[in-house]
């Protein structure tokens, strides 16, 4: 967010005519410039668990990812990641195609919701419960997320 060219590139990712999104992006950039977040580069299989352990005990720990697990080649590694997050105290927000998981990992990612074979749309989940399943993230339930997930520990 400190490099003008990088911010300009981010703005090109907003579709034409979506000025409200451009304004939100610019506001987020300004916020990040004033209070830069800690960015840690690492391997999600090797570095996530020790990184989570560094979070203060009174902090609301959140693990968020979108469309990343399809790039983890091994099914065993994807399931290992799911197990790591499930064992943590983190709120887990994921937006992945359910097909990236198998067995226990898939059940964890979709909250046990049965999806059609070959389902390739996104499943947006909070703490292993699918709240929205669709290419456009169409809501599939009217329930509110669990209070604990919104307020933290």
């Amino acid at each position: 967010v400190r490099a003008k060219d990088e911010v300009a590139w981010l703005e090109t990712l907003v579709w034409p005519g979506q000025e409200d999104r451009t304004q939100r992006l610019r506001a987020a950039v300004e916020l990040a410039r004033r209070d830069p977040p800690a960015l840690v580069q690492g391997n999600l299989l090797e570095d996530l668990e020790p990184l989570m352990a560094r979070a203060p005990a009174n902090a609301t720990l959140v693990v968020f990812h979108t469309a990343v697990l399809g790039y983890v080649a091994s099914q065993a590694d994807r399931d290992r990641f799911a197990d790591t997050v499930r064992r943590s105290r983190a709120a887990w927000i994921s937006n992945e195609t359910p097909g990236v998981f198998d067995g226990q990992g898939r059940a964890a990612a979709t909250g046990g919701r049965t999806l059609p074979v070959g389902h390739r749309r996104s499943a947006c989940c909070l703490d292993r419960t699918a709240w929205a399943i669709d290419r456009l993230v169409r809501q599939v339930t009217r329930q509110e997320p669990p209070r604990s997930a919104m307020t933290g520990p």
Side-chain angles (χ1 to χ4, degrees):
V1 295
R2 293 183 192 113
K4 188 175 182 177
D5 290 345
E6 299 286 332
V7 172
W9 179 81
L10 282 174
E11 287 187 9
T12 67
L13 300 176
V14 178
W15 288 20
Q18 295 186 339
E19 288 303 314
D20 58 326
R21 295 180 101 183
T22 300
Q23 293 306 317
R24 284 196 310 268
L25 174 61
R26 289 176 180 161
V29 166
E30 287 307 312
L31 178 64
R33 285 178 175 161
R34 286 192 306 272
D35 186 14
L39 299 178
V40 179
Q41 182 176 341
N43 178 303
L44 65 90
L45 295 171
E46 297 168 12
D47 302 319
L48 179 61
E49 195 164 20
L51 183 61
M52 289 189 299
R54 290 178 22 199
N58 63 343
T60 300
L61 181 60
V62 176
V63 172
F64 169 79
H65 57 91
T66 182
V68 70
L69 294 179
Y71 298 99
V72 176
S74 161
Q75 185 64 58
D77 285 343
R78 291 192 295 264
D79 288 344
R80 191 171 111 211
F81 167 81
D83 289 341
T84 297
V85 179
R86 283 189 13 215
R87 286 190 319 269
S88 76
R89 63 180 175 86
W92 181 13
I93 302 171
S94 64
N95 188 34
E96 298 280 353
T97 57
V100 301
F101 291 105
D102 191 25
Q104 187 178 29
R106 182 179 173 121
T110 63
R113 189 181 301 272
T114 302
L115 301 175
V117 173
H119 186 277
R120 302 198 64 80
R121 295 178 176 175
S122 295
C124 187
C125 302
L126 171 63
D127 291 332
R128 302 169 301 278
T129 299
W131 291 100
I133 301 172
D134 203 332
R135 185 180 315 269
L136 299 175
V137 194
R138 181 183 67 228
Q139 190 153 345
V140 296
T141 180
R142 299 219 184 271
Q143 296 176 344
E144 289 295 316
R147 258 261 169 268
S148 62
M150 295 188 295
T151 59

